[in-house]
Amino acid sequence: MLIERVASAVAAIALAVVMLVGVTDIVAGEVLGVFLAFKVDMSGTLTAAAIFLAWPLVQSRNEHINVDLFSGIFPRWSRILREIIAKLAGLVFFALIARGTWKVALDSLAIRETSAATLGYPIWPAKLACAIGASLVLLVITLQIGRLILQMRHDRNGHS
């Protein structure tokens, strides 16, 4: 989906800014003896936003860490059902995460929250990015469940 690629591109830009701030801090500290006061706040804020914005693409590609402790003991025909159950669990957990991130983001937006560091840059956009990323993961999981249900129906009707 285009929106996943856009979210991933924004995540990549956020991580590039984190790296640039880190390099600048190290060079300025070693060469000039001056360190950036905002580096910790900015790095934490942008890293969180990057993680949440990259999550939908990871979910859609099923690229998370999988633990297959029990897959060998279940019958092969139950694979789709197990995947649906796992996706439903993910849906519940991400619904809770999305709900929480939206609450935090909207509260932050309402007060136009800025960082406590000397630079005082706005942090509400990063919190909003986290909420958007969590919501996109919900959309991806919902589409994946629908695809699995269609596949299960297709398999049940004798098509392979």
Side-chain angles (χ1 to χ4, degrees), residues 136-155:
L136 288 174
V137 172
L138 282 176
L139 175 63
V140 169
I141 293 173
T142 302
L143 293 173
Q144 289 174 330
I145 290 170
R147 193 175 310 124
L148 286 168
I149 290 170
L150 289 175
Q151 184 179 352
M152 191 168 69
R153 284 184 179 169
H154 184 264
D155 291 352

Side-chain angles (χ1 to χ4, degrees), residues 2 17 29 32 81 85 93 102 123 125 139 154:
L2 175 64
V17 170
L32 305 173
L81 181 60
I85 292 168
F93 287 115
W102 275 109
I123 60 174
L139 175 63
H154 184 264

Side-chain angles (χ1 to χ4, degrees), residues 8-150:
S8 294
V10 173
I13 291 168
L15 290 178
V17 170
V18 168
M19 290 187 288
L20 182 63
V21 167
V23 167
T24 303
D25 181 59
I26 291 168
V27 171
E30 293 297 320
V31 174
L32 305 173
V34 177
F35 294 93
L36 303 177
F38 60 88
K39 69 180 174 279
V40 173
D41 285 347
M42 182 176 281
S43 296
T45 305
L46 291 178
T47 300
I51 289 168
F52 274 89
L53 288 172
W55 221 323
L57 189 61
V58 171
Q59 178 66 40
S60 71
R61 293 179 177 177
N62 284 316
E63 291 182 341
H64 351 276
I65 296 170
N66 288 315
V67 180
D68 290 337
L69 292 175
F70 303 109
S71 61
I73 63 171
F74 287 106
R76 189 177 192 128
W77 61 264
S78 70
R79 181 191 62 80
I80 294 176
L81 181 60
R82 286 183 284 126
E83 283 188 46
I84 290 172
I85 292 168
K87 300 281 187 214
L88 287 171
L91 192 69
V92 169
F93 287 115
F94 256 95
L96 294 170
I97 290 170
R99 181 176 180 229
T101 55
W102 275 109
K103 169 131 180 49
V104 168
L106 293 175
D107 289 349
S108 180
L109 177 62
I111 62 170
R112 298 283 196 250
E113 187 176 10
T114 59
S115 74
T118 56
L119 190 59
Y121 65 91
I123 60 174
W124 62 266
K127 290 182 178 186
L128 193 58
C130 291
I132 290 168
S135 297
L136 288 174
V137 172
L138 282 176
L139 175 63
V140 169
I141 293 173
T142 302
L143 293 173
Q144 289 174 330
I145 290 170
R147 193 175 310 124
L148 286 168
I149 290 170
L150 289 175

